[in-house]
Amino acid sequence: MSTPALDLTRTALGIELGSTRIKAVLTDPAGTVLATGGHNWENSLVDGIWTYSLEEVTTGIQAAYAALASDLRTTYGAELTTTGAIGVSAMMHGYIPLDADGALLTRFRTWRNTITAESSRELSQLFGLNIPQRWTVSHIHHAVTGHEEHVSRINRVTTLAGYVHWRLTGRHVLGVGEASGVFPIGPDNRSFDPTMLEAFDTLVADEPAVTWSLGDVLPDVALAGEDAGALTADGAALLDPTGTLRPGVPLCPPEGDAGTGMVATNAVRPRTGNVSAGTSAFAMIVLTEPLRSLIEEIDLVATPSGAPVAMAHANNCTSDLNAWVEVFSQFAQAIGAPVERGPLFDILLSAAAEGSMDEAGVMSHNFLSGDALVGLSEGRPLTVRRPEARFSLAGLMRSHLFALFAAMAHGVRILRGATDVRIDSMHAHGGIFKTPEIPQRALAAAFDTPVSVSATASEGGAWGMALLAGYRLWAEGRSLEDYLQEVVFAGAEEVTIEATAEEVAEYARYLDRFVAGLPLQRTAVEVY
């Protein structure tokens, strides 16, 4: 039986540049995945700065797009000449300063850098809100007060998603969710706070290199569904150097991975929340009203439609676990019994379901990099055990599993202690949840909240970005919340797990020890 012809104008393309993988997803109007493509990449630590080269950005996007086009050709026999709409997402925050010609002025500084602690503290006090180290404005202030040579030549400052969107459309614009990790959003929930912009300009007014005002160099802000430009001829050639893709495709506002995570889990209504777990981890809780107070561990950001959100963001999640899995993979290869990575993850995480952390006597700190959420400027992955502990595979893997969510759970614990935040439902997504139940159960114990994972959880942010591109086309006057509920997630399959009281108590004890052991990290940084 032949596959029916595909109407490419009734498709939406989402591209997300994650920390270890660039992924592209093509969907139909109902959000069904038609084709996917991906490209692996890794950040580099160059002269103390976590970065990716912009050449890697270009080649990575092209590789992911080419893989998606090939998948579409194989499945449907169709060439990807056009699509209904395109959306671009990426890791939030960071620093990409451009001159008047659009040239990069200094190495791209990612969210992972923890070099802006002093700027973060000063801006937090100035605005009366938590301004994390990874936020773009912290990097701008750091460059200004550090008298970096490039500051006088700044014409535009953007994020990775904003940069790629600009390359595709010529428009300097950000979705409000992405923009909320650049600079605080104002009371209108749709633009940068004008009073705080003025306060920043006043703060740096005596710096001779600052010949610009902050509001003039930051991108425009747009809400989900609004016009954000169209694919130019240069943009089409950037995505598809073969020339098959035609220009003219509309683009939705670019978003960050936090926003696409909320969309991909249908967690954009007040009192809903989601967890995105990858190289970093963050919990997002949509608030019923703005939280305009300073809680150092909590970011105040926004959904793609502008609703206020409290975020607990941990710089580290799966990187150390991935490294341990790689060691086991090398061992299996060495004894002549190689195991593919997916099944190996399942085997090792299944071992983590056995026993309890109290019996295991093992503690893992998964800090490959520093993490402001727990006050670390640098990290050293570390696993320790009590001498009398019965060391086992189960205990080792359970300690790594619990560590994935520990820093984030610490932040949520502080938020709950400081405010009356209500969570009706929590959804999770990310590759770790390809292994069923076990990571989900650990997360439910960490938050003492039922956690749901849908069948699309592993599709992640690229799928969420495709949904936002689809909303640009097919909203039909509906709010983003209603569009997702009525069109995309109507009848969606999901599994919800609620941890037992014993599991919640076990995780709470582990978290107490995890936090109490943080001085070990600081000592490790000093001596190794």
Side-chain angles (χ1 to χ4, degrees):
M1 187 172 73
S2 62
T3 303
L6 189 64
D7 181 357
L8 292 173
T9 65
R10 298 282 293 167
T11 64
L13 172 62
I15 300 171
E16 182 157 281
L17 294 91
S19 54
T20 60
R21 186 166 174 79
I22 301 173
K23 189 171 182 180
V25 171
L26 190 72
T27 68
D28 68 9
T32 304
V33 175
L34 303 173
T36 64
H39 171 75
N40 294 329
W41 70 339
E42 285 287 349
N43 56 190
S44 301
L45 186 62
V46 181
D47 297 330
I49 298 294
W50 289 103
T51 188
Y52 303 82
S53 73
L54 295 189
E55 291 77 14
E56 288 180 291
V57 171
T58 299
T59 57
I61 291 171
Q62 290 174 349
Y65 179 88
L68 178 141
S70 176
D71 186 26
L72 186 72
R73 188 180 308 116
T74 300
T75 305
Y76 291 92
E79 294 296 327
L80 191 53
T81 57
T82 190
T83 180
I86 298 173
V88 176
S89 176
M91 302 164 279
M92 287 179 71
H93 318 298
Y95 182 59
I96 298 182
L98 306 172
D99 68 12
D101 296 321
L104 182 66
L105 290 172
T106 190
R107 187 175 289 116
F108 166 38
R109 299 170 185 176
T110 77
W111 57 270
R112 195 167 208 167
N113 289 287
T114 53
I115 60 174
T116 60
E118 186 174 341
S119 292
S120 171
R121 284 192 295 270
E122 185 168 352
L123 293 175
S124 296
Q125 292 301 316
L126 178 69
F127 298 145
L129 298 174
N130 181 35
I131 305 298
Q133 293 186 43
R134 64 187 177 281
W135 277 30
T136 304
V137 68
S138 292
H139 285 277
I140 296 172
H141 184 268
H142 176 77
V144 168
T145 56
H147 307 107
E148 296 190 31
E149 178 274 334
H150 71 274
V151 168
S152 63
R153 293 181 287 130
I154 291 175
N155 181 261
R156 286 283 183 178
V157 176
T158 190
T159 63
L160 183 55
Y163 174 79
V164 174
H165 183 93
W166 169 67
R167 292 286 305 276
L168 297 182
T169 66
R171 290 272 304 273
H172 277 290
V173 62
L174 295 177
V176 66
E178 172 77 340
S180 68
V182 169
F183 191 87
I185 299 299
D188 65 356
N189 294 328
R190 60 174 303 130
S191 62
F192 294 124
D193 190 299
T195 302
M196 294 182 187
L197 286 173
E198 184 178 352
F200 181 92
D201 288 341
T202 301
L203 180 67
V204 300
D206 293 335
E207 295 287 346
V210 180
T211 58
W212 37 263
S213 65
L214 186 59
D216 289 339
V217 301
L218 293 181
D220 298 329
V221 180
L223 301 184
E226 293 184 343
D227 173 42
L231 189 66
T232 64
D234 287 343
L238 174 70
L239 267 185
D240 181 15
T242 71
T244 304
L245 179 64
R246 299 192 296 262
V249 179
L251 271 80
C252 68
E255 271 297 345
D257 48 1
T260 58
M262 286 186 274
V263 170
T265 54
N266 193 23
V268 292
R269 292 187 187 276
R271 295 178 60 155
T272 63
N274 84 95
V275 168
S276 177
T279 301
S280 64
F282 43 82
M284 314 282 294
I285 302 167
V286 186
L287 306 174
T288 55
E289 58 185 28
L291 179 63
R292 306 295 281 186
S293 59
L294 176 57
I295 303 175
E296 292 183 356
E297 294 80 5
I298 299 299
D299 300 14
L300 300 175
V301 291
T303 71
S305 54
V309 174
M311 173 202 278
H313 183 288
N315 277 8
N316 299 273
C317 185
T318 59
S319 293
D320 191 38
L321 174 64
N322 290 341
W324 280 85
V325 172
E326 176 60 24
V327 168
F328 283 109
S329 176
Q330 293 174 11
F331 172 74
Q333 185 77 34
I335 64 173
V339 183
E340 292 184 4
R341 287 295 292 263
L344 183 57
F345 261 99
D346 290 344
I347 292 168
L348 293 173
L349 289 177
S350 293
E354 303 297 325
S356 73
M357 285 313 307
D358 300 305
E359 299 167 350
V362 183
M363 168 63 64
S364 293
H365 280 153
N366 59 335
F367 298 108
L368 186 66
S369 67
D371 206 319
L373 185 54
V374 291
L376 296 177
S377 60
E378 293 184 53
R380 297 291 186 273
L382 186 67
T383 296
V384 297
R385 60 191 175 97
R386 293 196 301 269
E388 75 279 7
R390 221 177 130 197
F391 196 44
S392 68
L393 179 63
L396 176 66
M397 298 314 300
R398 195 167 181 82
S399 72
H400 285 298
L401 175 62
F402 277 33
L404 296 181
F405 311 123
M408 182 174 54
H410 172 63
V412 172
R413 178 189 276 183
I414 291 172
L415 174 66
R416 281 174 159 164
T419 65
D420 183 26
V421 170
R422 305 293 179 88
I423 309 173
D424 292 338
S425 61
M426 183 71 82
H427 291 73
H429 79 121
I432 190 68
F433 299 107
K434 288 182 180 179
T435 299
E437 185 176 343
I438 298 164
Q440 186 180 353
R441 183 169 292 281
L443 183 59
F447 284 0
D448 190 13
T449 300
V451 172
S452 299
V453 172
S454 71
T456 55
S458 63
E459 294 294 350
W463 182 65
M465 198 65 231
L467 298 184
L468 285 170
Y471 180 65
R472 166 83 171 77
L473 288 176
W474 306 305
E476 297 179 350
R478 286 173 288 214
S479 67
L480 177 61
E481 295 85 348
D482 288 344
Y483 173 77
L484 293 176
Q485 187 62 48
E486 296 169 6
V487 176
V488 178
F489 289 95
E493 296 181 10
E494 64 179 23
V495 175
T496 301
I497 289 179
E498 184 171 3
T500 66
E502 292 78 10
E503 289 168 333
V504 171
E506 177 195 4
Y507 196 94
R509 290 190 294 272
Y510 177 87
L511 184 58
D512 289 341
R513 290 192 293 269
F514 184 93
V515 174
L518 289 174
L520 295 174
Q521 281 290 304
R522 299 184 181 95
T523 301
V525 168
E526 291 173 3
V527 302
Y528 190 67

